[in-house]
Amino acid sequence: MLFPTTVFAVFYLIVYLGHRRLVQRSAIWKWFILTASYVFYGYWDWRFAGLIALSSIVNHALGVTMHRTSHESRRRLWLIFAVVFNLGLLGFFKYYGFFSIQLYVLLSRVGLAWSPPLLDIILPVGISFFTFQAMSYVIDIYRRELEPTRTVLDFALYLAFFPQLVAGPIVRAKVFLPQLDHIGRVDRIDAGRGAVLILTGLFKKIVIANYLSAHIVDPVFSQPEAYGRLDNLFAVYGYAIQIYCDFSAYSDIAIGIALLMGFHFPLNFNAPYFAGSIQDFWRRWHISLSTWLRDYLYIPLGGSRHGSFLTYRNLFLTFLLGGLWHGAAWTFVAWGALHGAYLMVERMGRKLINPSPSLFWRGVRLVAVFHLVCLSWVFFRAETFEDAWYMLRQIAMDATPSEWITPTLLLALAVGWCTQFLDGDRLRKAWDRAGTWPAWAQGLAAAIVLTVILALGPKGVSPFIYFQF
Amino acid sequence: MSTEHTLKDEIGDAREHAHVGVPPQHVTRALLIFYAAALLFNATSLHEQARLMPYGPWRDVCVAISKPFAYVSTWTGLSKPREWIENKIN
């Protein structure tokens, strides 16, 4: 079920009205929201709902067992079991095919003719997201930063809560569970912020991301050798804006619809292309993933505590695995490796960079960071390394005149870039103003804005890019 | 890696402390008005989409449901703004 569709609109209205009616009766409300979340998830394929139910039961049981065990080595064993279970689930559904092929290639190179059985596995939507949420839950219990939920129902609801289920933000249990306990007592809703987030998200997805995808990104990336320098270059710029508008739109809508129900989710994007360094970029891009990788991978690896060499290694490894998290392909690993390398070099040269440069140098850094990120997007978006190299070669060498660059495309790129001004709390005055209007004016204004968005966008909506991860 | 950014909705927390927001009943009213208005503004387009669906019982249901709304939308002229924007773009 995609957010910007009629089916989801009807689904959300029913769920919202049920939520309002049942929210004072905690147990029934939880069952109702859990059922709704499973319907939302099962709409793709009912078997996926069984998978998330299995993950909920096993992780809850492991959390409770770990919490009750006082013996440190046993707790550690349970933790290892939990991590192996979660990574095993993710590995089987997401990476089995990829690693089977790699193993086959490796064995055939050393003269062994054995191939692992190839299975026709469907990748469950959002598995990377809910697996990371489940892992953060058990690891936090192991670290004694969190107590397990009283019932499996609470944990299942945390894992399956529909606004953030399929593409994040990756909400931590210690952020979500306390809200679950107090949801019946929420007496004020930040409706202005919620509505503005939903509408700006719909605008970014329906108007900008869909337009860029159809009018330059998809055609050029599918056949980079057929186009010249400018088309390839603008396809890369287009993809940078498209992926931002697409993914941040999902987060905005998720945060907005949860907010209307009384839940607060953390910010996931904060004007990433305004970043003055790669480190700054990762403070602004997919914040819930970068904080997850920091807390559950980088710091356990040793972080920056054991000298320069190990810090660089930890940074690089974290981003390499972060790349692999996005998908089972070497191009994603290359994307992660590039970001790891950028951060290493940036850290090495930190003393050389003036921390408070003039406006001119801040602009230069912003442009440089944007282009480094764009370079990494080439590998992220390309189907194969060959395509990526073709694209880079065309940008460097082919001076064929452009076919795709039109004033509308430039406008879409500029508007898409400017939507970053809507991130964070830059729109708080608009939220406050919208929040003070009477209900009829709010409803009518939102309907008018939605109508304009739908009229500007193409017929039909393509899935969000991050659904594949 | 930065250790500065946090896990919480700091913006939401700050706004909660400032008692920003409206009662839940107000949100319900606004949402119902939004759905009613959005349906009427976009009913002809929804009906058109329903008619373009593959033949089958689900299409029949969607066409049957959207038809009266499309009629009201056209009759009241509420479908005009969207049509006007679409014509301008085309």
Side-chain angles (χ1 to χ4, degrees):
Chain A
M1 207 181 288
L2 297 170
F3 281 164
T5 57
T6 314
V7 175
F8 180 77
V10 174
F11 167 84
Y12 185 67
L13 181 63
I14 295 167
V15 174
Y16 179 82
L17 294 176
H19 155 75
R20 288 273 20 114
R21 185 132 189 91
L22 300 171
V23 72
Q24 302 298 335
R25 298 152 76 185
S26 178
I28 302 172
W29 175 85
K30 284 176 186 171
W31 278 111
F32 172 72
I33 296 293
L34 183 67
T35 309
S37 298
Y38 275 43
V39 169
F40 174 81
Y41 194 55
Y43 194 79
W44 276 282
D45 189 326
W46 268 108
R47 289 168 296 178
F48 296 171
L51 183 71
I52 199 168
L54 173 77
S55 176
S56 303
I57 292 164
V58 173
N59 279 296
H60 179 259
L62 286 167
V64 170
T65 313
M66 206 184 303
H67 185 67
R68 284 182 187 157
T69 311
S70 53
H71 207 276
E72 271 313 306
S73 59
R74 275 196 206 141
R75 282 169 58 81
R76 185 176 282 266
L77 268 178
W78 284 119
L79 175 71
I80 292 168
F81 182 74
V83 171
V84 168
F85 170 76
N86 284 300
L87 291 181
L89 209 64
L90 186 62
F92 177 74
F93 283 100
K94 193 162 178 175
Y95 302 105
Y96 178 83
F98 173 70
F99 284 115
S100 298
I101 293 167
Q102 303 310 315
L103 185 64
Y104 171 73
V105 171
L106 197 71
L107 290 176
S108 54
R109 278 197 187 150
V110 294
L112 291 170
W114 181 78
S115 66
L118 278 178
L119 306 174
D120 191 17
I121 301 167
I122 307 167
L123 178 66
V125 180
I127 188 169
S128 309
F129 289 91
F130 72 72
T131 304
F132 268 32
Q133 290 201 170
M135 282 176 69
S136 72
Y137 171 80
V138 285
I139 296 171
D140 285 350
I141 291 174
Y142 173 76
R143 291 174 175 171
R144 299 185 202 281
E145 290 173 5
L146 181 73
E147 292 205 353
T149 56
R150 284 186 295 277
T151 62
V152 69
L153 175 64
D154 285 8
F155 178 69
L157 191 51
Y158 157 65
L159 213 57
F161 189 51
F162 72 90
Q164 42 79 35
L165 173 57
V166 292
I170 302 167
V171 182
R172 306 279 180 90
K174 52 189 166 193
V175 172
F176 182 84
L177 293 173
Q179 297 188 53
L180 199 59
D181 291 337
H182 296 111
I183 191 66
R185 293 196 287 277
V186 171
D187 60 353
R188 296 197 83 75
I189 303 281
D190 195 355
R193 183 181 173 214
V196 172
L197 278 170
I198 294 169
L199 292 171
T200 51
L202 289 172
F203 174 75
K204 286 194 273 189
K205 170 64 182 165
I206 295 174
V207 182
I208 305 294
N210 283 354
Y211 180 86
L212 291 174
S213 164
H215 288 85
I216 192 159
V217 176
D218 290 350
V220 176
F221 267 92
S222 64
Q223 225 180 347
E225 67 280 8
Y227 301 97
R229 171 179 299 154
L230 281 176
D231 283 336
N232 274 286
L233 185 63
F234 275 81
V236 178
Y237 290 156
Y239 187 64
I241 302 296
Q242 184 206 344
I243 194 168
Y244 162 71
C245 284
D246 190 287
F247 190 21
S248 71
Y250 191 94
S251 293
D252 287 350
I253 299 169
I255 295 168
I257 61 178
L259 199 56
L260 292 187
M261 293 171 73
F263 285 91
H264 288 264
F265 286 176
L267 198 67
N268 211 20
F269 287 86
N270 191 10
Y273 298 135
F274 291 173
S277 67
I278 296 293
Q279 187 187 37
D280 190 19
F281 174 78
W282 280 103
R283 284 180 197 154
R284 295 161 176 267
W285 178 273
H286 203 175
I287 298 166
S288 62
L289 176 69
S290 60
T291 48
W292 196 101
L293 290 172
R294 177 196 71 195
D295 294 345
Y296 300 107
L297 188 57
Y298 176 71
I299 291 174
L301 280 171
S304 56
R305 296 190 301 272
H306 304 295
S308 297
F309 176 76
L310 288 178
T311 303
Y312 297 142
R313 184 206 67 176
N314 297 340
L315 266 177
F316 192 73
L317 270 179
T318 301
F319 276 88
L320 206 65
L321 292 171
L324 195 61
W325 175 86
H326 283 84
W330 289 115
T331 46
F332 290 118
V333 179
W335 173 79
L338 262 177
H339 276 277
Y342 290 161
L343 283 164
M344 282 165 59
V345 172
E346 195 172 274
R347 208 179 168 89
M348 284 175 200
R350 192 185 275 175
K351 285 172 192 158
L352 303 173
I353 298 168
N354 183 357
S356 53
S358 65
L359 198 63
F360 171 74
W361 283 111
R362 280 206 333 244
V364 170
R365 275 166 59 169
L366 190 142
V367 172
V369 168
F370 177 70
H371 281 83
L372 287 172
V373 172
C374 279
L375 175 65
S376 72
W377 288 136
V378 173
F379 292 92
F380 192 90
R381 173 62 176 79
E383 296 288 325
T384 60
F385 276 117
E386 219 173 19
D387 285 349
W389 294 128
Y390 258 128
M391 189 158 232
L392 295 175
R393 202 190 65 180
Q394 296 295 87
I395 291 171
M397 294 162 81
D398 192 316
T400 312
S402 163
E403 288 176 35
W404 289 91
I405 301 170
T406 59
T408 320
L409 178 82
L410 295 176
L411 180 69
L413 284 171
V415 173
W417 194 84
C418 287
T419 55
Q420 294 182 99
F421 286 107
L422 310 177
D423 283 350
D425 63 349
R426 294 175 183 87
L427 279 185
R428 64 182 177 279
K429 281 184 184 162
W431 302 340
D432 292 343
R433 208 167 298 148
T436 57
W437 292 355
W440 67 266
Q442 288 175 337
L444 194 62
I448 291 168
V449 174
L450 178 75
T451 305
V452 174
I453 291 169
L454 293 174
L456 290 173
K459 299 261 185 267
V461 177
S462 55
F464 287 88
I465 293 173
Y466 263 66
F467 274 22
Q468 61 184 300
F469 308 138
Chain B
M1 300 269 286
S2 156
T3 51
E4 288 166 26
H5 47 211
T6 59
L7 316 169
K8 286 190 171 180
D9 175 21
E10 289 177 332
I11 298 168
D13 288 350
R15 293 174 68 76
E16 214 171 354
H17 286 306
H19 295 287
V20 175
V22 290
Q25 297 84 343
H26 179 105
V27 180
T28 309
R29 280 196 298 274
L31 205 64
L32 289 172
I33 290 163
F34 163 75
Y35 269 82
L39 178 63
L40 288 173
F41 286 142
N42 298 285
T44 47
S45 171
L46 283 174
H47 184 55
E48 202 178 306
Q49 276 177 38
R51 286 173 53 201
L52 292 172
M53 285 165 73
Y55 282 97
W58 183 234
R59 176 189 180 275
D60 296 343
V61 170
C62 292
V63 170
I65 292 174
S66 60
K67 197 173 179 178
F69 292 107
Y71 177 76
V72 174
S73 178
T74 312
W75 184 70
T76 53
L78 289 173
S79 61
K80 289 270 188 288
R82 179 166 174 168
E83 283 167 16
W84 182 81
I85 297 170
E86 284 175 342
N87 289 337
K88 280 282 169 195
I89 291 168
N90 289 335

